[in-house]
Amino acid sequence: MQGTFQRSTTLHGLFEERVREVPGGIALELDGVRVTYGELDRRADGIAHHLRTEFDVRPDDRVAVVVRDPIGAVTAMLAILKAGGAYVPLDPDHPPAAVQAALDVSGAVAAVIDSSCASGLAFFGGGVFIVDVMGDGLEAPADGLEPAAGPSDLAYVMHTSGSTGRPKAVAVEHRAIVDTVIWRNRYYGFGPGRATLAIPRPFFDSSVADIFCALTSGSRLVLVSNERVTDRPHLLELIENRGISHFLITPALYRRLLDGVTGEAPASLQSVTVAGEGFGTELVAQHYDRFPHVQLYNEYGPSENAVCSTVHPLRASDTEVLIGSAIDNTYTLVMDEHGAPVGPGGTGELLLGGPRLARGYLGDPELTAEKFVEGVPAAGERRRFYRSGDFVRVHDNGALQFVGRRDRQVKIRGRRVELEHVAQRLTDDPAVDEAFVILAPGEPPRLLAFVVGPAAGDAERVRTAARDRLPAHMVPAAVLPVGELPLTRNGKVDQRALLALYEETLPRSGPSSTGLSSTEAPLLALWRELLPHAAITPEASLFELGGDSLTLMSLLEAAEKETGVRIDLTDVYGGFSLRRMAELIEQQQGSVA
């Protein structure tokens, strides 16, 4: 542990320092629209003044952000911080029940939304500010806003999956995230003249580092519209033509991005950081094959320790992928099952300590006490630590290697999912007596649910109910009925037996093209290859069949190779089906003819 902890600074205070230094510098850029540091500051001040005067937002008050427009979302976050509150980013595409559950857990007193998201807050009792309707013309006092929040007040609340079926609300103070931001800016050399491509969306914890490292260093933040976050040609075009020097990305998405790289790396690109999931050396080799002069980093860190805890610079010659060593002001402690420290060569649970630790989980003191352990004697002195639940191996030089999870938590699209959370939501249906959820083998990662009860035979009903209660990435790709959950000799659910049941449902022969058009028939094979578990029909939505944004990317690329037609991602969200895909292809082929 090294470095000097910044005890007297807030996140928005760092931003305001950059405003004074580079008021005319470009802060945000999206599809040709550019916002300077001065303009962004004025917009945020106007909304912040409204939040204070109309909704009485004060330090530690939580204010939800449910905004689709990336520029509007960043402006809202800054405004909430300037008002003195803590922002709570929520996915505008989540079902209303999931949004309401997150609002309840966080205890939000107000919300900043755009008009397209109003239905998701139908039962919210706090103040609502509609940024695209009420945001123009707002002004703050001529002499500026008086500072409200201090370093020990909350900066933001990030939701993660919880084993009880309720989301966990991780409460992070300014002093914790400020320390992460200052370290990252120094480590990566962010500053004026640099540009970050912001790939993580605001409700994903890596976005905190992306957004605020740029805005507190004087860098330019190049935003991506929500529907194009997995549009490989679009991302590569931005990297090539918008002077991108750095971006942070999940391993799964980076693999697909690298598949499309054909030329040399842009001269502006200096480094890439992967985070959010484990990965192997094949990705490292692929990176250095495409971008031999661009440094690749692996960052590790849970929301509970302000996004980043360890880092490791990866090399083309690496035979193992390490998560590396603790960053400045972070303590790492690896303990065995008896609570004794683990030495080089050993494996144990990783505990994290230091001033970056979150305050805890809002509204859940028992879980906070379980995960945030006070006075760990093995630390050499009695310190507070967060029990990560991650098992790591200690290398001879002290560097750490991720081995696996202690509990039934997995990563889907770079986001933590407690399998018990999904199972609990499924059993909210009174016709589902029991549910057990596992991760299916293969890529991309997807969930399988095995259910017992009267509703078990109606898989589509169970999945429809799940879509009403869960974020899209947590909805099982397949629901399989079982008379009872099989058990091992030790009395635990037999996951191998469940996987065998799932494999029995996979088609044993090629897909039938009966009733399909001449365009649809060859496309069906592509859909079947990517969605082997799904009952594909011409009208069935890709996302309802268990596909996700990465499945969509792969599907469009395979279709382009098959037909020579490239489908624009902006045309496919909503009810994208096999039939809709065929129609788009026929339209383009007809226009060319």
Side-chain angles (χ1 to χ4, degrees), residues 357-380:
L357 288 184
R359 185 181 293 180
Y361 302 107
L362 291 180
D364 200 335
E366 292 183 1
L367 184 62
T368 299
E370 175 189 339
K371 293 292 187 180
F372 293 87
V373 186
E374 300 283 352
V376 179

PDB file of all heavy atoms in Angstrom, residues 357-380:
ATOM      1  N   LEU A 357     -12.912   1.464   1.004  1.00  0.00           N
ATOM      2  CA  LEU A 357     -14.051   0.605   1.306  1.00  0.00           C
ATOM      3  C   LEU A 357     -15.353   1.396   1.337  1.00  0.00           C
ATOM      4  O   LEU A 357     -15.415   2.528   1.810  1.00  0.00           O
ATOM      5  CB  LEU A 357     -13.861  -0.093   2.648  1.00  0.00           C
ATOM      6  CG  LEU A 357     -12.814  -1.207   2.706  1.00  0.00           C
ATOM      7  CD1 LEU A 357     -12.820  -1.851   4.072  1.00  0.00           C
ATOM      8  CD2 LEU A 357     -13.062  -2.250   1.623  1.00  0.00           C
ATOM      9  N   ALA A 358     -16.407   0.760   0.817  1.00  0.00           N
ATOM     10  CA  ALA A 358     -17.731   1.359   0.851  1.00  0.00           C
ATOM     11  C   ALA A 358     -18.219   1.474   2.292  1.00  0.00           C
ATOM     12  O   ALA A 358     -17.731   0.791   3.193  1.00  0.00           O
ATOM     13  CB  ALA A 358     -18.706   0.522   0.037  1.00  0.00           C
ATOM     14  N   ARG A 359     -19.199   2.332   2.485  1.00  0.00           N
ATOM     15  CA  ARG A 359     -19.820   2.461   3.795  1.00  0.00           C
ATOM     16  C   ARG A 359     -20.515   1.155   4.177  1.00  0.00           C
ATOM     17  O   ARG A 359     -20.556   0.766   5.344  1.00  0.00           O
ATOM     18  CB  ARG A 359     -20.827   3.613   3.770  1.00  0.00           C
ATOM     19  CG  ARG A 359     -21.455   3.909   5.107  1.00  0.00           C
ATOM     20  CD  ARG A 359     -22.464   5.035   4.992  1.00  0.00           C
ATOM     21  NE  ARG A 359     -21.837   6.330   4.681  1.00  0.00           N
ATOM     22  CZ  ARG A 359     -22.517   7.461   4.535  1.00  0.00           C
ATOM     23  NH1 ARG A 359     -23.851   7.452   4.669  1.00  0.00           N
ATOM     24  NH2 ARG A 359     -21.902   8.594   4.250  1.00  0.00           N
ATOM     25  N   GLY A 360     -21.074   0.477   3.191  1.00  0.00           N
ATOM     26  CA  GLY A 360     -21.773  -0.785   3.430  1.00  0.00           C
ATOM     27  C   GLY A 360     -22.943  -0.901   2.488  1.00  0.00           C
ATOM     28  O   GLY A 360     -22.983  -0.257   1.436  1.00  0.00           O
ATOM     29  N   TYR A 361     -23.933  -1.743   2.861  1.00  0.00           N
ATOM     30  CA  TYR A 361     -25.127  -1.955   2.058  1.00  0.00           C
ATOM     31  C   TYR A 361     -26.293  -1.200   2.694  1.00  0.00           C
ATOM     32  O   TYR A 361     -26.630  -1.436   3.860  1.00  0.00           O
ATOM     33  CB  TYR A 361     -25.458  -3.438   1.962  1.00  0.00           C
ATOM     34  CG  TYR A 361     -24.349  -4.282   1.371  1.00  0.00           C
ATOM     35  CD1 TYR A 361     -23.587  -5.125   2.181  1.00  0.00           C
ATOM     36  CD2 TYR A 361     -24.045  -4.229   0.011  1.00  0.00           C
ATOM     37  CE1 TYR A 361     -22.574  -5.897   1.649  1.00  0.00           C
ATOM     38  CE2 TYR A 361     -23.019  -4.990  -0.520  1.00  0.00           C
ATOM     39  CZ  TYR A 361     -22.286  -5.822   0.296  1.00  0.00           C
ATOM     40  OH  TYR A 361     -21.269  -6.578  -0.219  1.00  0.00           O
ATOM     41  N   LEU A 362     -26.920  -0.332   1.936  1.00  0.00           N
ATOM     42  CA  LEU A 362     -28.034   0.440   2.465  1.00  0.00           C
ATOM     43  C   LEU A 362     -29.162  -0.480   2.907  1.00  0.00           C
ATOM     44  O   LEU A 362     -29.552  -1.391   2.171  1.00  0.00           O
ATOM     45  CB  LEU A 362     -28.556   1.413   1.405  1.00  0.00           C
ATOM     46  CG  LEU A 362     -27.634   2.585   1.016  1.00  0.00           C
ATOM     47  CD1 LEU A 362     -28.316   3.433  -0.053  1.00  0.00           C
ATOM     48  CD2 LEU A 362     -27.300   3.434   2.233  1.00  0.00           C
ATOM     49  N   GLY A 363     -29.670  -0.239   4.092  1.00  0.00           N
ATOM     50  CA  GLY A 363     -30.823  -0.984   4.575  1.00  0.00           C
ATOM     51  C   GLY A 363     -30.559  -2.429   4.933  1.00  0.00           C
ATOM     52  O   GLY A 363     -31.506  -3.187   5.146  1.00  0.00           O
ATOM     53  N   ASP A 364     -29.291  -2.834   5.007  1.00  0.00           N
ATOM     54  CA  ASP A 364     -28.987  -4.235   5.312  1.00  0.00           C
ATOM     55  C   ASP A 364     -27.791  -4.315   6.255  1.00  0.00           C
ATOM     56  O   ASP A 364     -26.686  -4.692   5.865  1.00  0.00           O
ATOM     57  CB  ASP A 364     -28.702  -5.009   4.025  1.00  0.00           C
ATOM     58  CG  ASP A 364     -28.857  -6.518   4.210  1.00  0.00           C
ATOM     59  OD1 ASP A 364     -28.702  -6.985   5.357  1.00  0.00           O
ATOM     60  OD2 ASP A 364     -29.127  -7.218   3.219  1.00  0.00           O
ATOM     61  N   PRO A 365     -27.989  -3.960   7.527  1.00  0.00           N
ATOM     62  CA  PRO A 365     -26.874  -3.972   8.477  1.00  0.00           C
ATOM     63  C   PRO A 365     -26.312  -5.368   8.713  1.00  0.00           C
ATOM     64  O   PRO A 365     -25.113  -5.509   8.980  1.00  0.00           O
ATOM     65  CB  PRO A 365     -27.499  -3.397   9.754  1.00  0.00           C
ATOM     66  CG  PRO A 365     -28.975  -3.599   9.605  1.00  0.00           C
ATOM     67  CD  PRO A 365     -29.247  -3.485   8.141  1.00  0.00           C
ATOM     68  N   GLU A 366     -27.145  -6.416   8.612  1.00  0.00           N
ATOM     69  CA  GLU A 366     -26.641  -7.772   8.831  1.00  0.00           C
ATOM     70  C   GLU A 366     -25.660  -8.183   7.735  1.00  0.00           C
ATOM     71  O   GLU A 366     -24.589  -8.737   8.017  1.00  0.00           O
ATOM     72  CB  GLU A 366     -27.812  -8.763   8.894  1.00  0.00           C
ATOM     73  CG  GLU A 366     -28.692  -8.588  10.132  1.00  0.00           C
ATOM     74  CD  GLU A 366     -29.784  -9.641  10.195  1.00  0.00           C
ATOM     75  OE1 GLU A 366     -29.839 -10.513   9.279  1.00  0.00           O
ATOM     76  OE2 GLU A 366     -30.592  -9.595  11.138  1.00  0.00           O
ATOM     77  N   LEU A 367     -25.999  -7.913   6.479  1.00  0.00           N
ATOM     78  CA  LEU A 367     -25.094  -8.250   5.391  1.00  0.00           C
ATOM     79  C   LEU A 367     -23.834  -7.383   5.453  1.00  0.00           C
ATOM     80  O   LEU A 367     -22.732  -7.863   5.188  1.00  0.00           O
ATOM     81  CB  LEU A 367     -25.786  -8.063   4.040  1.00  0.00           C
ATOM     82  CG  LEU A 367     -24.967  -8.476   2.819  1.00  0.00           C
ATOM     83  CD1 LEU A 367     -24.645  -9.969   2.855  1.00  0.00           C
ATOM     84  CD2 LEU A 367     -25.702  -8.117   1.526  1.00  0.00           C
ATOM     85  N   THR A 368     -23.988  -6.128   5.841  1.00  0.00           N
ATOM     86  CA  THR A 368     -22.834  -5.250   5.989  1.00  0.00           C
ATOM     87  C   THR A 368     -21.877  -5.814   7.034  1.00  0.00           C
ATOM     88  O   THR A 368     -20.659  -5.871   6.816  1.00  0.00           O
ATOM     89  CB  THR A 368     -23.281  -3.825   6.388  1.00  0.00           C
ATOM     90  OG1 THR A 368     -24.112  -3.291   5.349  1.00  0.00           O
ATOM     91  CG2 THR A 368     -22.084  -2.915   6.594  1.00  0.00           C
ATOM     92  N   ALA A 369     -22.418  -6.251   8.166  1.00  0.00           N
ATOM     93  CA  ALA A 369     -21.574  -6.817   9.220  1.00  0.00           C
ATOM     94  C   ALA A 369     -20.922  -8.125   8.782  1.00  0.00           C
ATOM     95  O   ALA A 369     -19.804  -8.441   9.195  1.00  0.00           O
ATOM     96  CB  ALA A 369     -22.408  -7.037  10.479  1.00  0.00           C
ATOM     97  N   GLU A 370     -21.614  -8.893   7.927  1.00  0.00           N
ATOM     98  CA  GLU A 370     -21.068 -10.159   7.447  1.00  0.00           C
ATOM     99  C   GLU A 370     -19.925  -9.949   6.463  1.00  0.00           C
ATOM    100  O   GLU A 370     -18.904 -10.648   6.510  1.00  0.00           O
ATOM    101  CB  GLU A 370     -22.173 -10.974   6.789  1.00  0.00           C
ATOM    102  CG  GLU A 370     -21.698 -12.275   6.151  1.00  0.00           C
ATOM    103  CD  GLU A 370     -22.780 -12.950   5.327  1.00  0.00           C
ATOM    104  OE1 GLU A 370     -23.974 -12.649   5.555  1.00  0.00           O
ATOM    105  OE2 GLU A 370     -22.426 -13.759   4.453  1.00  0.00           O
ATOM    106  N   LYS A 371     -20.090  -8.970   5.566  1.00  0.00           N
ATOM    107  CA  LYS A 371     -19.117  -8.780   4.488  1.00  0.00           C
ATOM    108  C   LYS A 371     -18.003  -7.807   4.854  1.00  0.00           C
ATOM    109  O   LYS A 371     -16.871  -7.938   4.368  1.00  0.00           O
ATOM    110  CB  LYS A 371     -19.837  -8.278   3.230  1.00  0.00           C
ATOM    111  CG  LYS A 371     -20.788  -9.296   2.619  1.00  0.00           C
ATOM    112  CD  LYS A 371     -20.028 -10.481   2.043  1.00  0.00           C
ATOM    113  CE  LYS A 371     -20.948 -11.414   1.292  1.00  0.00           C
ATOM    114  NZ  LYS A 371     -20.207 -12.571   0.717  1.00  0.00           N
ATOM    115  N   PHE A 372     -18.312  -6.802   5.659  1.00  0.00           N
ATOM    116  CA  PHE A 372     -17.312  -5.816   6.076  1.00  0.00           C
ATOM    117  C   PHE A 372     -16.897  -6.152   7.510  1.00  0.00           C
ATOM    118  O   PHE A 372     -17.609  -5.863   8.464  1.00  0.00           O
ATOM    119  CB  PHE A 372     -17.859  -4.396   5.976  1.00  0.00           C
ATOM    120  CG  PHE A 372     -18.116  -3.959   4.559  1.00  0.00           C
ATOM    121  CD1 PHE A 372     -19.326  -4.238   3.943  1.00  0.00           C
ATOM    122  CD2 PHE A 372     -17.144  -3.276   3.833  1.00  0.00           C
ATOM    123  CE1 PHE A 372     -19.571  -3.846   2.635  1.00  0.00           C
ATOM    124  CE2 PHE A 372     -17.374  -2.882   2.528  1.00  0.00           C
ATOM    125  CZ  PHE A 372     -18.585  -3.164   1.923  1.00  0.00           C
ATOM    126  N   VAL A 373     -15.753  -6.784   7.630  1.00  0.00           N
ATOM    127  CA  VAL A 373     -15.330  -7.378   8.893  1.00  0.00           C
ATOM    128  C   VAL A 373     -14.433  -6.398   9.644  1.00  0.00           C
ATOM    129  O   VAL A 373     -13.423  -5.918   9.106  1.00  0.00           O
ATOM    130  CB  VAL A 373     -14.572  -8.703   8.648  1.00  0.00           C
ATOM    131  CG1 VAL A 373     -14.257  -9.390   9.962  1.00  0.00           C
ATOM    132  CG2 VAL A 373     -15.399  -9.618   7.749  1.00  0.00           C
ATOM    133  N   GLU A 374     -14.801  -6.105  10.849  1.00  0.00           N
ATOM    134  CA  GLU A 374     -14.027  -5.180  11.670  1.00  0.00           C
ATOM    135  C   GLU A 374     -12.945  -5.928  12.434  1.00  0.00           C
ATOM    136  O   GLU A 374     -13.184  -7.015  12.973  1.00  0.00           O
ATOM    137  CB  GLU A 374     -14.932  -4.455  12.672  1.00  0.00           C
ATOM    138  CG  GLU A 374     -16.046  -3.639  12.026  1.00  0.00           C
ATOM    139  CD  GLU A 374     -15.552  -2.333  11.445  1.00  0.00           C
ATOM    140  OE1 GLU A 374     -14.375  -1.994  11.665  1.00  0.00           O
ATOM    141  OE2 GLU A 374     -16.354  -1.655  10.767  1.00  0.00           O
ATOM    142  N   GLY A 375     -11.751  -5.358  12.517  1.00  0.00           N
ATOM    143  CA  GLY A 375     -10.699  -5.862  13.378  1.00  0.00           C
ATOM    144  C   GLY A 375     -10.190  -7.238  13.018  1.00  0.00           C
ATOM    145  O   GLY A 375     -10.310  -8.171  13.798  1.00  0.00           O
ATOM    146  N   VAL A 376      -9.664  -7.407  11.814  1.00  0.00           N
ATOM    147  CA  VAL A 376      -9.121  -8.703  11.398  1.00  0.00           C
ATOM    148  C   VAL A 376      -7.718  -8.859  11.985  1.00  0.00           C
ATOM    149  O   VAL A 376      -6.782  -8.164  11.585  1.00  0.00           O
ATOM    150  CB  VAL A 376      -9.061  -8.794   9.860  1.00  0.00           C
ATOM    151  CG1 VAL A 376      -8.466 -10.124   9.424  1.00  0.00           C
ATOM    152  CG2 VAL A 376     -10.464  -8.614   9.269  1.00  0.00           C
ATOM    153  N   PRO A 377      -7.534  -9.758  12.947  1.00  0.00           N
ATOM    154  CA  PRO A 377      -6.221  -9.887  13.607  1.00  0.00           C
ATOM    155  C   PRO A 377      -5.111 -10.283  12.638  1.00  0.00           C
ATOM    156  O   PRO A 377      -3.963  -9.878  12.805  1.00  0.00           O
ATOM    157  CB  PRO A 377      -6.461 -10.979  14.653  1.00  0.00           C
ATOM    158  CG  PRO A 377      -7.942 -11.043  14.834  1.00  0.00           C
ATOM    159  CD  PRO A 377      -8.519 -10.671  13.520  1.00  0.00           C
ATOM    160  N   ALA A 378      -5.422 -11.082  11.601  1.00  0.00           N
ATOM    161  CA  ALA A 378      -4.390 -11.553  10.684  1.00  0.00           C
ATOM    162  C   ALA A 378      -3.752 -10.416   9.901  1.00  0.00           C
ATOM    163  O   ALA A 378      -2.721 -10.604   9.259  1.00  0.00           O
ATOM    164  CB  ALA A 378      -4.989 -12.568   9.712  1.00  0.00           C
ATOM    165  N   ALA A 379      -4.351  -9.225   9.936  1.00  0.00           N
ATOM    166  CA  ALA A 379      -3.799  -8.100   9.180  1.00  0.00           C
ATOM    167  C   ALA A 379      -2.561  -7.507   9.845  1.00  0.00           C
ATOM    168  O   ALA A 379      -1.905  -6.638   9.283  1.00  0.00           O
ATOM    169  CB  ALA A 379      -4.861  -7.007   9.029  1.00  0.00           C
ATOM    170  N   GLY A 380      -2.237  -7.987  11.040  1.00  0.00           N
ATOM    171  CA  GLY A 380      -1.088  -7.430  11.753  1.00  0.00           C
ATOM    172  C   GLY A 380      -1.516  -6.316  12.689  1.00  0.00           C
ATOM    173  O   GLY A 380      -0.897  -6.058  13.704  1.00  0.00           O
TER     174      GLY A 380
END
